Amino acid sequence: MDAVTRYLSAKSSAITRFIFEHIVLVLMVLVVTATGVAFWYMSHLQDRLVATLAQQGAQLQSRTMSEMRALYTSNVVERVRTHGIEVTPDYRKKDAAIPLPATFTIELGQQLGASGSGLKVRLYSAYPFPWRKDGGPHDDFEREALASLQKNPDQPLGRFETYQGQYVFRYAVADRMLPQCIDCHNSRPDSPKKDWKVGDVRGVLEVIRPVSALATASRQSLQQAFGSLSFVALSGLAAIGLVLGKQRRHARGLAEEINERRRVEANLIESTARFSAMNEASPLGTFVTDPNGLCLRVNQMYQEITGYSDEDMRGKSWNFGIHPGDQARVLDAWNDMVKKNSNFTVDCHLLRHDGSTTWISCKAAAMRNGEQLLGYVGTLEDISERKQVERMKNEFISTVSHELRTPLTSIMGSLGLLAGGVGGALSDQTRALVDLASKNSERLVRLINDILDIEKIEAGHMQFDLRPHELQPLIEQAIAVNRAYAVQLGVTFKLTASLPGVWVRVDADRLMQVMTNLMGNAAKFSPQGASVDLEITRRGDLIRVSVSDKGPGIPESFRHKVFEKFSQADSSDTRPKGGTGLGLSISKAIMEAMGGSIGFDTKEGDGTTFHFDLPEWTETHPTAAPEVLKAAPHRQRILVCEDDRDVSTLLCMMLEQAGYEVVPAYDGAMVRRLLAEESFSAMTLDVQMPGLDGRAFLHEMRDSPTLKDLCVVVVSGHLRNFPRVNEGDGLGVIDWISKPIDQGRLLNAVRSGIASNADGKSRVLHVEDDPDLRQIVASLCADIADFNSAATFQEATVLLSTAQYDLVVLDLTLPDRSGWDLIPFIEQLVPRPPVLVFSASELSVAESGRVAAAMVKSHVTNPELLDAIQSLTHKI
C-alpha cells in the first residue's frame, strides 16, 4: 500500500509539475476543445434561430404593413378628401389624386418585392373589385388563409413551405374593415359586396419571407463568430503568457497605485476642508439636500439668517421656515424646476426661529453624476434691505406722482385761466410771461410723465387697452395734434404715403404717445422750412409707419445707444436741443408691448427715418370707423303725484311736450318710494291722495336735507280747503294751480321753480386735499356747477350723507384714507352720483371700470376737464 501510495503521489506531482511547466499548452488544448464544442452547439442552434428570425420578421413586416395602411387611411385619405383630392385606384391617370389604401398597400408590397430581398407582400380577398385581376387567392395556402381568418380573424396563419422554388415562411393576417372604409366599400357601384360592417374580414395580408437568405446570413455570422472566438482565445493565451511574465512588474505597479490613491485621498480631504471653510465664510447662506429635498447640512450664514441651527434643519424639508402665505408659490416654482431640470430662483418671506419675518432670495440647482440625481444645493440671501430700498423708491415715485403733479395741475390750471381772461385783459408783456410759464410747465410735466412711464415699464405696470383701430385716422390725428409744435419750430408735417382701410390692434393713446415722440424729435432736428414726411406702407403681413426728417443724421458712435434711457447724441448741458432722452426708450417699450417693433435708418448729413411695424388686424374688416355712441341729451325729470289716472296722463302729456321726462305716482307709498330711490328736478302734487296728507307731507319734505330744495307745484281741485304759503305756513310751494289745469301757468311755474333752484346748476363734490387745486377747478367750472369741497375722507362722507350731488370729483390720495375707500360709500347712495377720478396716478383697465371716468392730473387741459364735468353732469 505504501508503494502504491508513493507511486500515485509521484504521478500526481509529475502531472502537477507538467501542468505548471506547460500551462500555456494545457490552456490551448482546453480552449480548442471548448471552442469546438461551442461551435457545434452554435451550429445546432442555427436552424432554430433561422426559423425564429423568419417568423419574427414576417410578423413584424405584416404588422408594419397593417399599421402603415391604417395610418394612411386615417391620417392621409381622410384629410386630403376635404381638400378636393380624389382617392382612386387609377390615380396615376389623374391630377390631384392619390391611391386607395388597398392600392397603396399592394404597390408598396410590389416595391418591396422588387428590391431584390426576396420578400413578397400579397393582399387578396374573396371579394376583389373587378379591376383587381389578381385580387383573389392563387394557391391552397391562400385559400386556407381566407377560410381560417374568416372564422378566427385574431389567429394569424403561418408555416414553412416551398414557394416558387424557394424555402420560405408564409405568414397571413386578417385585413379588417376600418370605420373610414365602410362608406366607400358599401357605396361604390362596382363593389362586389355592399353590406360591410366595421371589423369584417375584407381579405388577407400575406408576407412571404425567404428562409435561405437568413440561413446563409446566419451561417456566415456563425463562421465569423467562430473566427472571432478563435482569435480571442489565442489572444487570451498570449495575454496569459504576458501576464505570467510580467507578474512581478504588475505587483510593483499595484504598490505604486496604492500610494498614488493615498495621495489623491489626502488631496481630496484637503479640498473638502478648503471648500468647507469657504462655505462657512460665504456671505450667502447655503444648504445641501438629498434627492427628496431633505436638508443634509446648512452653513453658518444660513443659521444666522434664519436662526435655525444645523441640527434643527437636518432631516427637514428645504422649505422649512418659508412663510405660509408664500409656501404655495414657492413650491410651485420648485416643482417646475424639478420637472424642467432648470435652476430655481424665488423671493419670499421667511419666518425666523424667533418668530420675526424677513425677506430672502432663494436659489437652488440639482447636483448630478451623469443621469443620477445626488441632491440639491441652494443659497439664501437676506434681501430685506433691498426690499426696503425698493419700498423707498416706490414711495419716491408716489411722491413725484402726487406731490409734483398736483401743484403742477394747479399752476397749469391757473395759467390757463389767466390766459383765458378770467382775471381781466392781459397786457402783451404779461401775456408773454404767462405763455412762457405755461410752456415751461408743460415741459416739466412731460419730464415727470416720462420718468413715471419708465418706472411703470420697468415694473411691468404699464396698462394697455388694446383694441382694433383704423391706422390712418390715428396718424392724421397725430399730425393735427403736433402741428402747433411744428409751427413753433418752423417745420411742417406731411403724410406722403397713405394706406386707408388698414386696421391694427393697438392702444390708441399709447400709439399717439409714440407718434408724438417720433414727430417731436423729427421736428426738433429738422432745419427751419423743412418738412417731416410720414408714410404708411405695407411690408408683407406688417404695416410700417415711417417718420423722416431732414436733420443731420445720427452719428455712427451713438447709433447703438439710440433706444437706451437718458441717451442723447449731445448730452452736454449746452446742447442746442432739449429733452430727457427717455422718449425713444419709452416708444420702444410701448411698441414691443403692442406686438410691434421699432427701428431707424440714418445717414450722417442726410437725415433720419424712424419707423415702427405693427401686425395688420385681420380678424374683422369694418368698412368704416365705429360710430361713437353719444349720451342722449339730458332731460330734467318731473314727478307727477296724482291719484286720478286721467288727470295724471294729462299732466304727463303737458310736461313731456315741454321736453321734460315724467314719472307718475298714484298714492302716498309710491310717492315716498320714488323720492327715496330716484332724483327729480321738480314735482307736481295733489294735496289729497290715498295714503298722503298734503300739509304733513310738505312739512316732511322741508325737514329732509335731500328734499328741502325740491321745486313743488301744487295741482289740486281742493285748494279752497287747503292753507296756502302766503298764509304763513312756510311750505315753499312755487305755485298753487286749480283744476282744470292751465298748461301755460303750469309750465311757467315748473320752469321758474327749477331755475330758482341753484340757478339750474349741477352740484359737484370735489374731494381733494390741495386747496389751490380745488379753487382752480371751482373757478373753471363756475358757470356750470356749484362746488362743495372735502379735503379728507371723513369730510367727504359727512357731505355725501347730508346733501345730494350730481357728480363726485375724486382724488385717490387723501390724508386719512385712500380715495378708493369712498367708492363703496358712494355706491350705496340713492340716487348714486357718477364719479370722476382726477388724480395723479393712471388707473388700470379694471380700476377704470369702477368709475364713470378717470383723468390724470397734468395730462389734461382746462377745456378737457371742463368738457368731462359738463358731460357727466349733463350740462352740455
Side-chain angles (χ1 to χ4, degrees):
M1 289 293 297
D2 292 339
V4 174
T5 302
R6 285 195 297 271
Y7 175 79
L8 293 176
S9 177
K11 289 295 183 180
S12 175
S13 298
I15 294 173
T16 303
R17 188 167 52 253
F18 176 84
I19 291 174
F20 278 103
E21 290 175 355
H22 303 87
I23 184 67
V24 175
L25 178 61
V26 173
L27 291 175
M28 182 177 294
V29 172
L30 293 176
V31 167
V32 170
T33 303
T35 303
V37 172
F39 184 77
W40 173 82
Y41 182 72
M42 292 171 64
S43 178
H44 174 71
L45 293 178
Q46 176 184 358
D47 294 336
R48 293 175 59 187
L49 176 64
V50 168
T52 302
L53 289 176
Q55 185 172 358
Q56 291 179 348
Q59 291 175 344
L60 177 61
Q61 189 69 35
S62 65
R63 189 180 304 114
T64 302
M65 294 294 290
S66 298
E67 292 293 333
M68 184 178 299
R69 181 180 180 186
L71 181 64
Y72 178 81
T73 302
S74 61
N75 284 15
V76 177
V77 172
E78 291 300 315
R79 291 190 179 183
V80 300
R81 280 176 173 164
T82 61
H83 295 280
I85 297 177
E86 184 179 359
V87 183
T88 176
D90 57 342
Y91 69 97
R92 298 179 186 274
K93 301 177 182 180
K94 297 183 180 182
D95 294 330
I98 63 172
L100 287 168
T103 305
F104 172 76
T105 306
I106 292 170
E107 292 187 0
L108 180 59
Q110 292 172 352
Q111 289 288 335
L112 292 174
S115 64
S117 63
L119 177 71
K120 293 182 174 57
V121 178
R122 282 270 295 145
L123 184 65
Y124 47 88
S125 171
Y127 305 94
F129 281 96
W131 69 76
R132 209 175 306 283
K133 302 302 182 182
D134 60 342
H138 290 175
D139 55 24
D140 293 337
F141 177 85
E142 294 181 357
R143 284 186 285 272
E144 181 183 350
L146 276 172
S148 174
L149 293 173
Q150 286 286 352
K151 296 179 180 178
N152 300 297
D154 296 326
Q155 296 295 326
L157 178 66
R159 67 171 176 243
F160 293 90
E161 64 178 40
T162 301
Y163 177 80
Q164 296 181 355
Q166 279 187 314
Y167 189 67
V168 298
F169 180 76
R170 302 184 70 175
Y171 186 78
V173 296
D175 177 26
R176 308 179 75 168
M177 292 295 293
L178 299 176
Q180 300 92 329
C181 303
I182 293 296
D183 290 339
C184 177
H185 280 265
N186 287 341
S187 61
R188 292 187 66 97
D190 52 357
S191 176
K193 178 177 170 61
K194 298 186 179 182
D195 57 348
W196 293 105
K197 293 185 275 307
V198 175
D200 286 351
V201 177
R202 174 69 179 87
V204 174
L205 176 66
E206 180 183 350
V207 175
I208 305 172
R209 189 175 181 86
V211 178
S212 57
L214 293 174
T216 301
S218 176
R219 188 174 297 106
Q220 291 176 351
S221 298
L222 181 62
Q223 292 172 353
Q224 293 174 357
F226 179 74
S228 300
L229 182 62
S230 300
F231 177 79
V232 170
L234 294 175
S235 300
L237 290 173
I240 291 174
L242 293 175
V243 168
L244 293 175
K246 298 180 180 180
Q247 199 170 29
R248 291 182 180 180
R249 289 194 298 273
H250 285 174
R252 289 195 297 268
L254 181 60
E256 292 177 358
E257 183 179 348
I258 292 173
N259 292 333
E260 180 65 21
R261 182 170 298 177
R262 288 175 178 172
R263 286 193 297 271
V264 170
E265 289 177 353
N267 292 335
L268 180 60
I269 293 173
E270 182 182 354
S271 298
T272 302
R274 188 182 301 112
F275 173 78
S276 178
M278 293 174 60
N279 184 40
E280 293 301 324
S282 171
L284 300 176
T286 62
F287 61 90
V288 179
T289 77
D290 64 12
N292 296 319
L294 301 179
C295 282
L296 300 177
R297 64 170 308 219
V298 298
N299 72 344
Q300 184 62 35
M301 182 55 67
Y302 183 102
Q303 300 174 49
E304 293 178 8
I305 293 174
T306 65
Y308 298 106
S309 67
D310 185 64
E311 291 76 14
D312 293 335
M313 291 302 299
R314 192 163 298 168
K316 289 187 173 62
S317 178
W318 70 270
N319 61 320
F320 180 79
I322 301 296
H323 194 281
D326 292 341
Q327 280 282 5
R329 175 174 60 87
V330 171
L331 288 178
D332 286 344
W334 179 273
N335 293 332
D336 188 61
M337 179 264 296
V338 173
K339 290 179 182 178
K340 298 179 180 178
N341 192 22
S342 58
N343 292 333
F344 168 81
T345 301
V346 69
D347 293 349
C348 59
H349 290 91
L350 175 79
L351 285 176
R352 294 169 50 85
H353 187 269
D354 60 5
S356 62
T357 302
T358 187
W359 270 100
I360 62 166
S361 178
C362 182
K363 299 180 180 179
M367 298 184 297
R368 295 184 180 275
N369 181 13
E371 295 298 323
Q372 180 185 6
L373 176 63
L374 303 178
Y376 300 93
V377 60
T379 63
L380 287 186
E381 180 183 4
D382 189 335
I383 59 171
S384 53
E385 292 186 3
R386 189 178 80 191
K387 289 294 183 179
Q388 175 69 10
V389 171
E390 290 179 0
R391 187 183 64 80
M392 294 171 63
K393 184 192 76 169
N394 293 334
E395 290 177 353
F396 171 75
I397 294 298
S398 176
T399 300
V400 170
S401 176
H402 183 264
E403 300 302 331
L404 291 183
R405 273 181 165 173
T406 298
L408 272 175
T409 303
S410 298
I411 293 170
M412 293 178 65
S414 300
L415 292 172
L417 290 174
L418 288 174
V422 71
L426 301 179
S427 65
D428 292 341
Q429 185 177 7
T430 303
R431 182 173 295 278
L433 292 174
V434 170
D435 290 342
L436 179 63
S438 180
K439 291 176 183 177
N440 282 278
S441 297
E442 292 175 358
R443 286 184 60 193
L444 184 56
V445 166
R446 286 196 295 271
L447 172 60
I448 293 172
N449 291 339
D450 284 349
I451 293 174
L452 293 176
D453 280 346
I454 282 292
E455 190 277 334
K456 283 187 290 186
I457 289 170
E458 291 180 343
H461 294 158
M462 179 168 276
Q463 301 291 332
F464 290 90
D465 183 15
L466 300 179
R467 299 182 184 181
H469 294 274
E470 188 177 359
L471 181 59
Q472 184 163 322
L474 294 179
I475 304 304
E476 293 172 348
Q477 180 183 351
I479 294 174
V481 168
N482 291 279
R483 182 173 289 116
Y485 179 71
V487 171
Q488 295 176 10
L489 299 176
V491 300
T492 57
F493 292 127
K494 292 182 180 179
L495 182 61
T496 58
S498 60
L499 201 61
V502 171
W503 287 64
V504 291
R505 187 171 180 265
V506 295
D507 184 320
D509 292 335
R510 296 299 182 189
L511 181 66
M512 200 64 61
Q513 185 176 352
V514 173
M515 290 300 301
T516 298
N517 284 331
L518 298 184
M519 295 168 66
N521 283 343
K524 185 166 58 177
F525 288 99
S526 292
Q528 284 196 357
S531 67
V532 174
D533 297 333
L534 285 81
E535 295 183 350
I536 310 174
T537 55
R538 185 185 297 277
R539 296 175 64 86
D541 295 335
L542 300 176
I543 306 301
R544 170 165 290 188
V545 177
S546 304
V547 180
S548 304
D549 62 46
K550 307 298 189 299
I554 301 175
E556 179 72 29
S557 59
F558 180 71
R559 293 175 188 174
H560 67 285
K561 300 180 180 179
V562 165
F563 293 107
E564 294 181 1
K565 292 180 293 186
F566 301 104
S567 295
Q568 292 182 320
D570 180 5
S571 58
S572 66
D573 57 3
T574 60
R575 63 183 184 271
K577 308 298 182 183
T580 63
L582 293 173
L584 290 176
S585 177
I586 294 171
S587 298
K588 183 175 185 293
I590 290 174
M591 292 310 304
E592 290 175 351
M594 295 193 300
S597 60
I598 191 169
F600 66 92
D601 301 308
T602 186
K603 185 177 181 181
E604 289 192 53
D606 196 25
T608 301
T609 297
F610 277 89
H611 53 75
F612 59 82
D613 298 327
L614 288 167
E616 183 177 4
W617 177 261
T618 56
E619 184 172 330
T620 57
H621 299 279
T623 57
E627 180 182 358
V628 178
L629 297 178
K630 298 182 179 180
H634 177 66
R635 295 195 299 164
Q636 293 166 322
R637 306 176 78 232
I638 310 295
L639 177 62
V640 173
C641 305
E642 174 62 59
D643 60 322
D644 188 304
R645 301 287 178 130
D646 295 334
V647 175
S648 176
T649 301
L650 178 61
L651 282 168
C652 291
M653 293 176 60
M654 291 179 176
L655 293 168
E656 286 174 347
Q657 288 177 358
Y660 296 106
E661 181 181 348
V662 182
V663 178
Y666 304 111
D667 55 49
M670 190 174 182
V671 171
R672 287 186 170 87
R673 179 177 60 80
L674 289 171
L675 287 174
E677 295 177 355
E678 302 183 29
S679 177
F680 298 95
S681 300
M683 67 178 290
T684 67
L685 177 65
D686 184 0
V687 294
Q688 291 188 359
M689 293 180 63
L692 185 144
D693 176 80
R695 172 180 288 278
F697 180 69
L698 286 171
H699 281 296
E700 179 184 328
M701 285 180 56
R702 299 318 175 194
D703 291 338
S704 170
T706 59
L707 299 176
K708 64 180 180 179
D709 296 325
L710 181 63
C711 166
V712 178
V713 178
V714 173
V715 180
S716 180
H718 308 280
L719 294 185
R720 292 183 180 181
N721 301 323
F722 199 87
R724 310 289 185 86
V725 66
N726 54 11
E727 297 175 4
D729 57 8
L731 298 178
V733 177
I734 299 301
D735 198 0
W736 304 78
I737 301 176
S738 301
K739 300 177 183 176
I741 304 166
D742 184 339
Q743 182 177 3
R745 181 177 173 182
L746 171 66
L747 296 178
N748 287 335
V750 171
R751 290 193 187 101
S752 62
I754 294 176
S756 64
N757 186 6
D759 297 329
K761 296 180 182 179
S762 300
R763 300 186 67 185
V764 178
L765 175 61
H766 190 184
V767 185
E768 167 66 58
D769 60 334
D770 188 308
D772 296 333
L773 185 56
R774 295 200 303 265
Q775 182 178 354
I776 294 298
V777 175
S779 300
L780 175 66
C781 305
D783 294 337
I784 64 168
D786 288 330
F787 274 72
N788 287 348
S789 61
T792 64
F793 173 89
Q794 189 64 34
E795 292 179 12
T797 57
V798 172
L799 290 174
L800 288 168
S801 300
T802 57
Q804 182 175 326
Y805 293 96
D806 300 304
L807 175 67
V808 176
V809 180
L810 178 63
D811 182 15
L812 297 177
T813 306
L814 300 176
D816 50 350
R817 292 177 68 174
S818 168
W820 285 117
D821 295 337
L822 199 61
I823 299 297
F825 187 88
I826 296 173
E827 290 175 343
Q828 296 177 5
L829 299 176
V830 179
R832 183 176 65 187
V835 177
L836 166 62
V837 170
F838 186 50
S839 190
S841 303
E842 292 188 26
L843 303 189
S844 67
V845 176
E847 290 172 336
S848 299
R850 299 182 59 188
V851 296
M855 309 184 83
V856 180
K857 292 176 180 177
S858 77
H859 271 199
V860 297
T861 62
N862 288 356
E864 290 173 340
L865 179 60
L866 180 61
D867 288 345
I869 293 176
Q870 284 179 319
S871 176
L872 292 173
T873 57
H874 306 291
K875 297 297 182 181
I876 302 176

